[in-house]
Amino acid sequence: MAEQEGIALVDLDENGVDRAFRADVLDGLAARQKAIPARWLYDDVGSDLFEDITQIPEYYPTRAETEILTDRGKEFATKIAPGCAVVEFGSGSSVKTPLLLKAIAPGAYVPLDISGDFLREAAQDLAAKFPGLPVYPVEADFMRTVDLPAEVAATPKLGFFPGSTIGNMVPRTAVDLLRSMRETLGEGAQLLIGMDLVKGRDILEAAYDDAAGVTAEFNLNLARRINRELDGDIPTEKLRHIARWNDDFARIEMHLEANEAIAFSVAGQEFSMRSGETIHTENSHKFTRRSSKLLLEAGGWTPQKRWLDSGKRFSLLLAEATEPRKAP
Ligand code: AVJ
């Protein structure tokens, strides 16, 4: 398995504590608006809870994107280079990736993931479903440029980034990622990327605050994870899950709000929250036709085609690497 030279993907201290997690949490809890990067929501418990979220009635994005991948396969095949290497950013979901691979008859599949375990599982799954398809998993942090396996050096590339995961990033981070994807995939590459659409506040807030409370559990798991892994004593029963539409930034924000004034310690440091104070735990940006294309353009990708599901809730965009600019 190819690994980026000299970069330890997970850096544990002598007690087995993830140093990057601890640094992000201690910084984030000391900030005026407390905030912790959303990537820390996805430990094993959080990843399982997210799988459950994709099944709840209010959370439409997974079903909507799956519908597009199921129904528009013929159109993908006419727009995407045959025999291309599909490079998936984040190891594949067992449902979406096979739908794409079936539609376009690719020459290779290259899943990229920071977690070797997820990666090996996904790669084995896919290899079993597509005998004869070369699979080259790469353990890497795809927020940086990745060296792809030599076996696909001469093969045209299709980047695949489903799920509207790009929406978890603020615009400058999203642009950085799109540019590094372009760098990774090279001149002439294409990108197939999911972006969830702006819609009524009620539908969006319900999708991130479901009646069964699964999303609340997903959010609260972050506080429990801090207690588990960073020797914390956050009184999680005094926190509640909030999902609120921020119209200025066109995004759903998840927060953990203190029901009353609380004090706690994490990794030996003391923190407090006033009643009503929040920890910001996730952004999920939503896009319009124009904002999705503007983001792609800013990241060095020229939009080629945009597909919507029948309910017009979710978009899947195909783009090609923009040629180096001449004028203006
Ligand atoms: C995994 C980023 C697609 O933002 O919709 C779902 C994560 N958070 N419910 C999203 C999430 C709360 C999800 N993504």
Side-chain angles (χ1 to χ4, degrees):
M1 186 166 302
E3 196 168 319
Q4 282 175 321
E5 243 175 274
I7 301 174
L9 293 176
V10 183
D11 183 16
L12 304 179
D13 78 1
E14 61 284 358
N15 300 314
V17 175
D18 185 326
R19 287 194 166 92
F21 179 44
R22 181 174 51 211
D24 277 354
V25 169
L26 293 178
D27 280 1
L29 292 178
R32 198 176 46 80
Q33 168 63 64
K34 291 177 167 43
I36 296 168
R39 57 184 281 235
W40 301 115
L41 289 163
Y42 299 89
D43 63 349
D44 287 344
V45 179
S47 298
D48 285 347
L49 284 166
F50 177 67
E51 284 304 311
D52 296 344
I53 287 173
T54 65
Q55 305 293 324
I56 61 185
E58 297 95 329
Y59 191 77
Y60 62 85
T62 309
R63 282 188 298 277
E65 190 177 40
T66 302
E67 182 197 313
I68 302 170
L69 286 164
T70 306
D71 293 355
R72 301 307 187 93
K74 286 223 176 65
E75 294 173 49
F76 301 159
T78 67
K79 298 250 181 292
I80 294 168
C84 67
V86 173
V87 179
E88 181 158 12
F89 294 87
S91 46
S93 94
S94 45
V95 180
K96 290 175 196 170
T97 312
L99 291 172
L100 174 66
L101 297 180
K102 255 181 231 150
I104 64 169
Y109 174 61
V110 184
L112 310 180
D113 204 285
I114 196 159
S115 156
D117 291 338
F118 285 141
L119 191 60
R120 275 179 285 276
E121 251 179 64
Q124 275 169 16
D125 250 40
L126 245 296
K129 284 195 182 112
F130 295 87
L133 177 70
V135 178
Y136 306 107
V138 179
E139 193 170 339
D141 174 4
F142 63 69
M143 297 301 289
R144 304 157 190 253
T145 305
V146 179
D147 288 326
L148 296 181
E151 291 90 333
V152 298
T155 315
K157 313 290 188 303
L158 173 73
F160 184 44
F161 196 42
S164 202
T165 305
I166 193 83
N168 277 179
M169 289 154 227
V170 295
R172 65 164 288 180
T173 315
V175 166
D176 283 350
L177 173 59
L178 289 167
R179 293 171 73 106
S180 89
M181 285 174 164
R182 192 180 173 293
E183 207 50 46
T184 295
L185 298 171
E187 219 58 58
Q190 290 178 296
L191 176 67
L192 187 63
I193 183 169
M195 295 196 201
D196 193 18
L197 296 172
V198 171
K199 56 184 64 64
R201 171 191 287 262
D202 292 353
I203 297 170
L204 286 169
E205 289 183 345
Y208 290 84
D209 191 6
D210 58 284
V214 183
T215 311
E217 280 304 302
F218 174 67
N219 196 6
L220 281 161
N221 175 58
L222 178 60
R224 298 197 188 103
R225 178 181 184 188
I226 292 170
N227 287 348
R228 284 194 295 273
E229 294 184 27
L230 301 177
D231 190 27
D233 61 4
I234 303 172
T236 55
E237 72 289 352
K238 293 180 179 156
L239 293 176
R240 79 185 178 101
H241 165 68
I242 305 268
R244 113 171 44 108
W245 174 246
N246 183 330
D247 197 53
D248 286 337
F249 291 101
R251 69 192 185 201
I252 283 282
E253 295 182 5
M254 291 203 319
H255 293 256
L256 291 167
E257 183 183 82
N259 290 327
E260 57 185 86
I262 56 174
F264 54 86
S265 80
V266 173
Q269 295 193 27
E270 307 296 327
F271 300 96
S272 63
M273 294 175 75
R274 288 169 276 106
S275 177
E277 189 178 348
T278 71
I279 307 171
H280 187 179
T281 52
E282 188 177 54
N283 289 320
S284 194
H285 291 82
K286 305 302 169 187
F287 302 89
T288 63
R289 179 173 54 85
R290 286 191 179 111
S291 74
S292 60
K293 292 185 177 180
L294 180 63
L295 186 65
L296 286 170
E297 292 279 5
W301 293 93
T302 305
Q304 291 177 289
K305 176 83 190 158
R306 177 174 172 268
W307 291 277
L308 305 183
D309 66 298
S310 57
K312 297 185 166 37
R313 296 167 297 178
F314 196 94
S315 64
L316 193 65
L317 293 107
L318 182 69
E320 63 186 338
T322 309
E323 283 174 27
R325 268 277 176 247
K326 290 149 203 130

